[in-house]
Amino acid sequence: QSCGFGVHRSVYSSAAAIALTEEMPRLVCHVCDDRSRLCARVDLHLERVAAAHPGTGFMRVYASPDKPIGRELLDRLGLSARAAAKQTAPALVAMVDGRVVATADSLFQFGSDDALASEALDMWLQHTGTLSADLPSREWLKASAGKKRGRGGLGLAERLGVATADDDGEDEVDYYDCGLEGCQKAFAHEHVSGGPDGAM
């Protein structure tokens, strides 16, 4: 499963989530309990933040007593102590270049089941240094593609539909097909309807 820049995606496979933590230069991971109203509020806000930051990957992974996260993924997210204590409380983890730079062990600092303190969440995200309005450089995308091809798979650039230079050095523009006529964004994204007729 792939996760686009600037789009908040659910990742159900621990292996896929671990791969994203290694590939994405900037990543925000929501360790989410799908029974929690606060998690739902945080998630909706992260979707809005993701849309404004196409240079950052956003993913949610689910953790609850009946859906535990694998030990390897917890280790990768810097949450090893949770595994030992058998904790499943929701959390936010911010990563830059594969390293954990910030962890919010409790989402209650961002509100409650009844209300979200969106300013506090925005401030935390800003302080992590993970938010970027710019896509990673073409060089980074090409390097990622080369690493992935070496392992027999598609590179991140191909999976996201981002143009890279062809063998002649010419830029081959390949826009992401989001379904909206005239949209020329090269990265994976979704459009949110502004009215009943679907207009933006």
Side-chain angles (χ1 to χ4, degrees):
Q1 173 163 359
S2 65
C3 178
F5 290 97
V7 179
H8 192 33
R9 303 268 180 173
S10 294
V11 181
Y12 298 98
S13 156
S14 286
I18 290 168
L20 287 170
T21 66
E22 295 169 349
E23 287 181 25
M24 302 292 270
R26 292 179 181 87
L27 179 70
V28 175
C29 176
H30 181 196
V31 179
C32 175
D33 183 344
D34 57 6
R35 304 164 305 167
S36 161
R37 288 170 55 197
L38 176 56
C39 278
R41 291 178 187 284
V42 168
D43 226 46
L44 286 171
H45 190 73
L46 289 177
E47 288 181 6
R48 288 190 286 274
V49 173
H53 296 89
T56 304
F58 291 80
M59 74 172 175
R60 71 179 68 83
V61 295
Y62 295 97
S64 62
D66 51 329
K67 296 177 192 168
I69 293 181
R71 179 65 188 247
E72 190 177 354
L73 178 55
L74 284 173
D75 289 345
R76 186 77 187 112
L77 295 173
L79 301 174
S80 305
R82 288 170 162 251
K86 298 191 188 308
Q87 290 178 348
T88 58
L92 281 178
V93 179
M95 302 183 80
V96 175
D97 294 328
R99 293 177 297 105
V100 174
V101 294
T103 303
D105 275 324
S106 170
L107 297 189
F108 288 110
Q109 63 186 298
F110 306 127
S112 66
D113 283 346
D114 299 320
L116 179 70
S118 56
E119 301 84 10
L121 179 51
D122 287 338
M123 188 177 297
W124 184 87
L125 289 167
Q126 286 290 342
H127 283 268
T128 66
T130 55
L131 298 182
S132 174
D134 301 316
L135 275 172
S137 69
R138 192 170 299 257
E139 291 75 24
W140 183 89
L141 289 167
K142 286 177 69 176
S144 172
K147 278 192 264 183
K148 200 70 178 173
R149 278 195 203 102
R151 297 194 299 259
L154 287 176
L156 192 56
E158 288 98 333
R159 293 197 330 248
L160 297 177
V162 176
T164 55
D166 62 17
D167 293 337
D168 300 327
E170 296 293 320
D171 283 349
E172 214 175 277
V173 179
D174 184 18
Y175 298 116
Y176 180 80
D177 183 11
C178 63
L180 181 66
E181 187 176 345
C183 181
Q184 295 186 340
K185 293 179 181 153
F187 53 89
H189 63 280
E190 297 170 359
H191 291 273
V192 180
S193 171
D197 60 354
M200 292 301 294

